Amino acid sequence: MSKMELIAPCHFGLEAVLKREIADLGYEILEVEDGRVTFAGDEEAVCRANLFLRTAERVLIKTGSFHAETFEELFQGTRNIAWEDYIPADGKFWVAKAASVKSKLFSPSDIQSIMKKAMVERLKDVYKVSWFAEDGAPFPVRVFLKKDEVTVGLDTTGESLHKRGYRKLTAKAPIAENLAAALLMLTPWRADRILVDPFCGSGTFPIEAAMLAAHMAPGMNREFTAEEWGHLISRKSWYRASDEAQDLVDTSVATDIQGYDIDDSMVSIARENARLAGVEHMIHFQRRPVSELSHPKKYGFIITNPPYGERLEDKRDLPPIYRALGERFSRLDSWSLYLITSYENAEADIGRKADKNRKIYNGMMKTYFYQFQGPKPPRRERPEGSAGQG
């Protein structure tokens, strides 16, 4: 396919991180809205975006947009989209998800059913058939309604991009892989700096950090729905993107990434997930309570997802946990602390006001990314006489 509009949804509050990622891949940003970024790309962009984007939820091909305040307008608007340009006669097609904000049409199930009928009517006329076997490749459709403006996209991804394929076992309240990657990218942490997660659970922060350090594309070890769309996206495009991803990987990079948890079984789970991700040799996991958090070196980073206490009975346990974190952090000379939580007394219990905090929606839950910034390390001096040598 030639140039098309592609839509990448993301967590609310992280649009700027995703925008930077897409621009770094070399694609033109067309629009940034709450929870999604639209950009221009060709068939290769579909493959590269799915493989390389760390912070997106999925990649959609925009098939159309129109205004609709009634179900009749929704039907006609959907029917006017050239579905035959995308879906072959044997394609299995359905409206996988409908989301509506500040619009007159708000029932997801009604929106889905009316749009499916409109697609069937259009394709019946084009393919001159009375019914569809739908036994070919899958073509899931997603639709967003905002202030009665309808945006329709074909989902090239399938299972959400946060499913990298390495996390077979999880903690009770794991952070999504793409959210963890986005939060890491919001910090100044780099591969040559120390990183410690004292509440590592199933290991998501340390594993995503190691993958970043090793330039490992997050989609390397999984499949995508659009791989079955040979008439739209050639196998060569997928092979080229995959080869590019393989060529970039460098797991020999030296790192100091550590993950601690108070639960022995979680430490074992984290180690296994890191093994599946191919980065187990880059991370040191250990059973250790937050009260024993320490490190001999300076200028490190604590990046973590501590307990939130979503259940009322758990909230009683939170003050001592956050106080212990604050106390240990205060002893780490020149370190920085970054944490995501919905716990409202986090700063008070840590004993310090955050330098910055950022509101981020983790699903429907409002959380804050608190940033306690330490000093920058001194610049490393070059060895004498190294300047100007070729």
Side-chain angles (χ1 to χ4, degrees), residues 196 198 258 260 262 286-295 324-325 327-329 331-332:
V196 175
Q258 303 184 26
Y260 308 144
I262 198 167
Q286 184 183 348
R287 185 194 172 279
R288 187 190 283 199
V290 67
S291 57
E292 293 176 18
L293 173 62
S294 64
H295 199 288
L325 175 61
E327 194 270 327
R328 299 313 295 181
F329 173 52
R331 297 183 183 207
L332 286 165

Side-chain angles (χ1 to χ4, degrees), residues 33-324:
E33 301 167 88
D34 286 348
R36 66 184 194 261
V37 178
T38 303
F39 61 105
D42 54 12
E43 65 175 86
E44 207 146 287
V46 172
C47 309
R48 294 181 73 234
N50 273 302
L51 257 80
F52 287 101
L53 291 180
R54 296 179 191 278
T55 63
E57 292 282 339
R58 58 189 65 252
V59 180
L60 310 173
I61 297 171
K62 183 177 174 181
T63 58
S65 58
F66 53 89
H67 186 87
E69 297 182 29
T70 66
F71 285 123
E72 179 59 24
E73 287 174 335
L74 179 68
F75 182 92
Q76 293 302 337
T78 305
R79 199 177 188 285
N80 288 337
I81 294 170
W83 292 108
E84 64 277 10
D85 290 350
Y86 307 96
I87 302 171
D90 67 344
K92 180 185 178 186
F93 56 97
W94 72 103
V95 181
K97 185 169 183 188
S100 177
V101 178
K102 297 177 181 172
S103 296
K104 292 184 178 64
L105 303 178
F106 55 83
S107 161
S109 58
D110 288 339
I111 291 165
Q112 286 166 292
S113 138
I114 281 158
M115 289 184 69
K116 167 76 180 196
K117 280 180 192 161
M119 292 170 72
V120 167
E121 287 305 309
R122 168 94 188 196
L123 292 174
K124 267 164 63 174
D125 286 351
V126 171
Y127 291 123
K128 309 297 182 199
V129 295
S130 56
W131 69 283
F132 292 95
E134 297 198 50
D135 53 4
F139 292 85
V141 172
R142 291 186 166 238
V143 57
F144 314 97
L145 283 78
K146 186 176 181 183
K147 296 181 180 174
D148 304 318
E149 294 302 319
V150 184
T151 304
V152 188
L154 207 53
D155 180 11
T156 71
T157 302
E159 258 198 319
S160 170
L161 287 176
H162 81 266
K163 300 247 175 114
R164 318 295 207 209
Y166 66 74
R167 204 164 72 177
K168 303 298 183 193
L169 302 160
T170 63
K172 187 169 65 179
I175 189 167
E177 295 90 324
N178 58 344
L179 177 54
L183 297 179
L184 284 163
M185 291 162 77
L186 279 172
T187 75
W189 178 80
R190 296 294 176 266
D192 60 348
R193 307 281 294 276
I194 303 155
L195 187 151
V196 175
D197 179 356
F199 303 97
C200 76
S202 50
T204 310
F205 268 127
I207 292 168
E208 289 294 322
M211 289 173 72
L212 265 167
H215 303 293
M216 190 178 283
M220 275 175 60
N221 297 314
R222 55 159 290 169
E223 294 174 340
F224 306 101
T225 299
E227 287 182 69
E228 295 185 52
W229 302 353
H231 62 300
L232 292 178
I233 301 166
S234 69
R235 292 302 311 169
K236 272 187 184 172
S237 293
W238 290 106
Y239 292 143
R240 273 196 295 267
S242 180
D243 288 347
E244 180 188 357
Q246 297 287 350
D247 289 346
L248 287 170
V249 175
D250 177 11
T251 55
S252 68
V253 62
T255 55
D256 187 347
I257 300 172
Q258 303 184 26
Y260 308 144
D261 202 278
I262 198 167
D263 183 342
D264 259 329
S265 64
M266 287 318 310
V267 173
S268 298
I269 285 169
R271 281 199 189 109
E272 174 61 9
N273 288 340
R275 185 189 70 77
L276 291 168
V279 294
E280 74 273 28
H281 62 290
M282 298 174 68
I283 308 168
H284 172 69
F285 288 110
Q286 184 183 348
R287 185 194 172 279
R288 187 190 283 199
V290 67
S291 57
E292 293 176 18
L293 173 62
S294 64
H295 199 288
K297 293 183 180 171
K298 291 189 170 192
Y299 305 110
F301 287 76
I302 301 166
I303 304 178
T304 192
N305 174 40
Y308 297 2
E310 286 313 301
R311 294 182 308 180
L312 207 57
E313 62 267 31
D314 293 338
K315 286 207 184 290
R316 289 190 297 270
D317 301 333
L318 294 185
I321 291 172
Y322 282 77
R323 282 200 288 269

Side-chain angles (χ1 to χ4, degrees), residues 355-372:
D355 299 297
K356 288 184 184 175
N357 80 54
R358 190 182 188 115
K359 191 194 299 180
I360 291 164
Y361 280 86
N362 187 1
M364 296 308 291
M365 188 196 307
K366 183 168 70 175
T367 63
Y368 289 92
F369 188 46
Y370 292 102
Q371 303 168 53
F372 302 86

